[in-house]
Amino acid sequence: MTTPAPTLRNALPFWMSLLMVPMGIVAAIFGGWTIALIPAYGWIVMSILDRFAGLETDNMDLETGEADLYWYKLITIIWLPIQLTLVFGCLMVINWGSHLSGWESVFLMMAMGVVSGSIGINYAHELIHQKNRLEQRLGEALLISVLYGHFRSEHLIVHHRYVGTPRDPVTARYNESFYRFFIRVLPGCFRSAWNAEVDRLHRKGLPALHRSNPFWRYGLGAISFLAIAALIGGWAGVGLFVIQAFVAILQLELVNYVEHYGLTRRHLGDGKYEHVQPRHSWNAAHKMTNFLLINLQRHSDHHYKPDRRFPLLQTYEASEAPQLPFGYPLMTAIATNPLLWRRMMNPMVRKWRQDFYPDITDWKPYSTASNPMPR
């Protein structure tokens, strides 16, 4: 079943992220318990609304033209200045005001990290996949603003190519806790992104430090944002900005952990794997969190057809793609408890293996780097 023709009214639910802006302003002005408004909205309220709103199984017509998606695209395009105003505005309030205690200042910037992680990085993910240069640069700037610019290279060149294989550092392995995953993926993501860009330059006969290496932009951009934080609040401002960035990165990697946990592609021999299919990503059709996260939870289709804009992402039945029991906010919260996570997800992974790959009895090679893959 397809959704009605795209209109501003139909696109407005995907603008729910804007509700975090007044929450952030209130938190900066009043401090105290109001700082909890943003994380409570993102994790608790949206998960409760998911429970009552149910699943969204309708799909937009794939023949919908670019012009008809204007109101959907606009929210991602305008987000960069909104986020920077909110983050640096909070730093100004902390530095130039006197009503927030030290701990309130820390928690306020952690709340800003929830905004820049759950919304900013998510919108950046949508933007870096587009062919339009402006959107690509906006997405890159959002990633650099949380000191994670290299995610663009890793995601586009490495993750989408090697997802579900031992070569992809951000595919969570079966029985791997989030904490072990997080420690592994932080250096692994940077290293794989750097190697991918260097390989790309070498194929063109260029040195690793050639000016076209985007790591120059990632690094200089990060320094620029840190310099602005220093001008506003000195070393304390830099520290608070880094706290915001760390919380954002933490959320990104929690989502990465959930999206592919335990799922692998069939090894065909000689370092080759089957093509990516919807079954290689966890799908979630929960309506309200998909509104907030602009259909990020329709991740099975995103990997199957990476060029599709978020309104066009399709959802799948359980016979085509594995289904998460809850939306990302609740699933990421559960992921922080390894015992509860394994109790919930490991049986689901085993069922997925039986449903889609009943002929494979030895899964150990799919969880290690023992199978060589071409560079």
Side-chain angles (χ1 to χ4, degrees), residues 1-171:
M1 183 176 179
T2 57
T3 57
T7 63
L8 171 59
R9 180 178 179 182
N10 293 334
L12 278 180
F14 291 102
W15 287 54
M16 294 176 67
S17 56
L18 289 181
L19 293 177
M20 290 187 172
V21 176
M23 292 180 192
I25 295 172
V26 168
I29 294 174
F30 296 102
W33 66 269
T34 64
I35 297 174
L37 287 174
I38 287 175
Y41 172 67
W43 280 304
I44 300 173
V45 173
M46 295 308 299
S47 295
I48 293 173
L49 291 176
D50 259 352
R51 175 67 178 83
F52 291 100
L55 305 180
E56 178 60 78
T57 57
D58 291 346
N59 293 314
M60 185 178 288
D61 186 349
L62 292 176
E63 298 303 316
T64 304
E66 277 283 303
D68 293 324
L69 298 177
Y70 174 80
W71 292 109
Y72 294 86
K73 297 185 294 184
L74 186 60
I75 182 59
T76 62
I77 293 173
I78 67 173
W79 186 257
L80 177 63
I82 292 174
Q83 178 175 302
L84 293 181
T85 300
L86 200 57
V87 170
F88 287 119
C90 284
L91 275 180
M92 291 177 186
V93 170
I94 291 169
N95 185 63
W96 300 337
S98 58
H99 61 294
L100 297 177
S101 69
W103 280 112
E104 284 177 312
S105 299
V106 170
F107 287 131
L108 177 60
M109 293 311 293
M110 290 176 69
M112 291 303 101
V114 172
V115 176
S116 54
S118 61
I119 306 302
I121 292 182
N122 185 26
Y123 287 6
H125 170 255
E126 170 72 10
L127 290 165
I128 62 175
H129 273 283
Q130 307 312 315
K131 297 177 181 179
N132 180 286
R133 180 61 62 90
L134 171 62
E135 290 179 281
Q136 292 176 6
R137 289 292 181 257
L138 288 173
E140 185 177 293
L142 281 168
L143 293 172
I144 293 171
S145 73
V146 294
L147 313 180
Y148 220 54
H150 61 276
F151 174 80
R152 173 186 174 274
S153 296
E154 194 282 333
H155 185 79
L156 296 178
I157 305 175
V158 181
H159 178 59
H160 270 272
R161 183 178 180 183
Y162 297 113
V163 64
T165 75
R167 177 136 185 224
D168 179 31
V170 299
T171 293

Side-chain angles (χ1 to χ4, degrees), residues 290-305:
N290 264 321
F291 283 152
L292 180 65
L293 301 176
I294 58 170
N295 279 343
L296 178 66
Q297 300 172 147
R298 294 188 170 195
H299 209 62
S300 296
D301 197 49
H302 170 67
H303 271 274
Y304 183 48
K305 299 290 183 181

Side-chain angles (χ1 to χ4, degrees), residues 166 171-177 181 184 257 261-262 366-369:
T171 293
R173 301 160 184 167
Y174 179 74
N175 230 30
E176 181 180 34
S177 73
F181 168 83
R184 176 175 63 80
Y257 178 78
Y261 176 78
Y366 292 85
S367 301
T368 68

Side-chain angles (χ1 to χ4, degrees), residues 203-217:
R203 287 194 298 270
K204 296 180 179 180
L206 299 174
L209 296 180
H210 189 266
R211 64 179 181 276
S212 63
N213 189 330
F215 271 78
W216 286 110
R217 298 197 301 271

Side-chain angles (χ1 to χ4, degrees), residues 180-234:
R180 184 178 294 275
F181 168 83
F182 189 59
I183 293 172
R184 176 175 63 80
V185 80
L186 285 181
C189 180
F190 185 91
R191 185 168 53 248
S192 65
W194 171 260
N195 289 338
E197 291 294 354
V198 171
D199 287 347
R200 181 182 62 83
L201 289 169
H202 284 173
R203 287 194 298 270
K204 296 180 179 180
L206 299 174
L209 296 180
H210 189 266
R211 64 179 181 276
S212 63
N213 189 330
F215 271 78
W216 286 110
R217 298 197 301 271
Y218 305 156
L220 294 174
I223 291 172
S224 299
F225 282 121
L226 290 171
I228 295 172
L231 287 173
I232 294 173

